[in-house]
Amino acid sequence: MRKVATRMLRAGMEIARPIYDSRGFLLLNRGMMLTRGYIKQLKKLNIQSLYVKDPLIPDVKVEDVILEETRQKAYFKVKDALSVLKRQPEHRHTGLLSAKKELSSVLDDIIAELLEKRELTVDLSDIRTFDDYTFSHSVNVAVLSVMTALSMGMSKHELKVLGMGALLHDMGKILVPQGILNKPGPLNEVELKEIEKHPYNGHVIARENHLFSYRSLAVIHQHHERFDGSGYPQGLSAEEIDPLSGICAVCDVYDALTADRPYRLAHPSHKALKVMEDQKERFFSNAAEALFEHIPAYPVGTVVGLDSGLAGVVAENTAGYPQKPKIRILFEKESFEKVSPYEMDLKETSSTTIDYVYEEEELLFLYLEEE
């Protein structure tokens, strides 16, 4: 399968992963064929991309790091919790108590599934609309944070404390006007200051009635603090920041960069990693390194060119080797002349590297001929 921007979809493509709307209703299931009508509706719903079956790697199955059912359950638990707190601020204690119970249960499922998949890489990205970004982002950050902490050898108790803080890290955004959150352009100074209040506001809401661990509260309060002191709301640095907050911070940035937003399209994984590498002094280095071990620069389905003059599609990634996928060689990089397909594992060679990533518009000839 491969992720395809909605603008590049064509009738006849086969859906590889179910598509849901922001209310959780199934729009299109895996195995269904896209029609012009479906594509028009997806665009109307602001669904920017989806996964389709790739005829070049029909035998390749890509696993999510957690079950689809668990991801959907977590999404709705976060959405319900934040929606209730926003609608009924006078009943926050009851809402927070209920949220803690519900989120604790789904968090146990997430941790159990990640414990069984320690070597999995995050080849899939969550498909979300602009309106449900906060909820999906919260779940993604929690999954990435727990996965990162697990690879760092943290205890199950620490995983739970971190996961709870990560699921609620953007709680303070319930006080930010929706128009600012979904503004399709740069924020002005006033709007930016409003956004930057959300870690403090979330911390204030969550600490009511002492329902959450102080370290979970720290994750909510500090997830925008930076190791070099350049973050907010307090401008903390280094040892002033809780290490769990440092993990959430790096996962928060990665997921934000790789998501479609109203003001920009998602960064592909290799570009997001480059952005973060250029800013590495801002993050806890051990947290960033642990996350990047499980984040492939070139997810399965990415079509890449090699410095050897060949090109092909990424067929497999391995934890610990983010820059060295297994590639199904398909054509000459410059001439686009097809070659007899075979697989090359970059882990097993030091003389060949990826030096080009093809845009969707460049690849139509491959799929038109295959179909």
Side-chain angles (χ1 to χ4, degrees):
M1 70 175 72
R2 63 191 171 102
K3 187 178 180 181
V4 177
T6 306
R7 70 180 190 281
M8 297 302 298
L9 294 174
R10 301 190 309 284
M13 286 181 167
E14 182 178 341
I15 296 169
R17 284 178 61 79
I19 306 165
Y20 299 88
D21 69 10
S22 59
R23 296 166 296 172
F25 294 130
L26 181 66
L27 297 175
L28 298 170
N29 209 345
R30 63 166 57 89
M32 293 182 66
M33 296 295 178
L34 284 171
T35 64
R36 290 181 179 177
Y38 287 157
I39 295 170
K40 185 177 180 180
Q41 283 301 113
L42 291 170
K43 291 177 180 177
K44 189 178 293 185
L45 290 170
N46 278 327
I47 294 174
Q48 299 295 301
S49 56
L50 66 152
Y51 285 94
V52 299
K53 187 174 180 181
D54 191 334
L56 301 177
I57 46 172
D59 54 319
V60 173
K61 180 182 178 182
V62 187
E63 289 186 74
D64 199 346
V65 289
I66 60 171
L67 295 174
E68 197 169 282
E69 295 79 5
T70 304
R71 184 177 291 280
Q72 285 291 311
K73 181 181 175 183
Y75 164 83
F76 283 107
K77 296 301 182 188
V78 172
K79 183 176 183 179
D80 290 346
L82 298 189
S83 298
V84 168
L85 291 172
K86 184 173 183 175
R87 288 197 312 269
Q88 303 174 3
E90 69 278 10
H91 298 302
R92 276 180 185 161
H93 173 66
T94 305
L96 284 170
L97 183 61
S98 174
K100 183 178 180 181
K101 291 178 180 177
E102 297 287 346
L103 294 176
S104 181
S105 174
V106 76
L107 191 52
D108 285 337
D109 293 338
I110 290 172
I111 291 171
E113 290 174 24
L114 289 174
L115 283 168
E116 293 180 358
K117 300 178 179 180
R118 291 172 182 261
E119 299 305 313
L120 214 58
T121 58
V122 184
D123 277 287
L124 287 171
S125 59
D126 191 33
I127 301 300
R128 63 197 88 166
T129 63
F130 297 152
D131 291 337
D132 67 358
Y133 170 80
T134 296
F135 315 121
S136 295
H137 172 67
S138 297
V139 175
N140 270 8
V141 172
V143 171
L144 292 173
S145 295
V146 171
M147 180 187 72
T148 301
L150 184 61
S151 69
M152 294 169 68
M154 291 192 173
S155 68
K156 195 168 182 180
H157 173 71
E158 288 175 304
L159 299 181
K160 189 74 176 279
V161 170
L162 169 59
M164 184 63 72
L167 283 172
L168 296 173
H169 78 281
D170 273 344
M171 179 189 293
K173 287 186 177 178
I174 66 173
L175 302 180
V176 179
Q178 201 67 25
I180 294 178
L181 292 176
N182 288 339
K183 183 178 178 180
L187 299 178
N188 61 40
E189 188 175 342
V190 173
E191 292 165 337
L192 192 58
K193 286 183 177 179
E194 192 66 32
I195 283 282
E196 290 183 353
K197 292 178 184 176
H198 82 268
Y200 172 76
N201 288 338
H203 175 256
V204 170
I205 294 169
R207 78 184 180 197
E208 291 179 6
N209 301 297
H210 309 288
L211 292 173
F212 298 96
S213 157
Y214 78 94
R215 296 194 74 189
S216 294
L217 294 176
V219 170
I220 296 170
H221 199 189
Q222 299 175 0
H223 69 276
H224 278 289
E225 301 290 356
R226 296 294 180 256
F227 191 81
D228 64 355
S230 63
Y232 63 87
Q234 296 174 285
L236 304 179
S237 63
E239 68 277 357
E240 296 175 313
I241 303 170
D242 189 298
L244 297 185
S245 303
I247 293 172
C248 183
V250 72
C251 296
D252 178 45
V253 171
Y254 176 77
D255 189 68
L257 286 172
T258 54
D260 289 312
R261 302 299 293 125
Y263 49 86
R264 62 152 174 80
L265 294 176
H267 290 279
S269 186
H270 69 285
K271 290 186 178 179
L273 292 172
K274 178 64 167 61
V275 169
M276 298 183 74
E277 176 65 25
D278 290 344
Q279 301 178 15
K280 60 184 177 182
E281 71 282 351
R282 304 186 72 207
F283 304 108
F284 281 75
S285 59
N286 58 344
E289 289 167 6
L291 172 65
F292 297 163
E293 288 289 291
H294 295 271
I295 300 291
Y298 312 100
V300 168
T302 307
V303 181
V304 297
L306 306 177
D307 59 3
S308 64
L310 296 170
V313 59
V314 174
E316 184 181 323
N317 279 293
T318 305
Y321 297 90
Q323 302 282 343
K324 292 182 173 293
K326 182 182 288 186
I327 299 170
R328 187 161 297 173
I329 302 298
L330 298 171
F331 59 96
E332 298 281 350
K333 185 171 66 174
E334 297 295 336
S335 67
F336 293 103
E337 183 177 345
K338 292 191 176 182
V339 301
S340 297
Y342 67 95
E343 294 197 346
M344 176 185 292
D345 193 339
L346 297 190
K347 298 195 310 294
E348 298 175 358
T349 175
S350 59
S351 60
T352 304
T353 60
I354 293 170
D355 64 0
Y356 191 74
V357 177
Y358 289 87
E359 299 288 341
E360 192 71 27
E361 289 83 352
E362 298 177 272
L363 301 171
L364 288 177
F365 79 98
L366 284 173
Y367 298 100
L368 287 172
E369 291 186 20
E370 290 289 334
E371 297 164 3

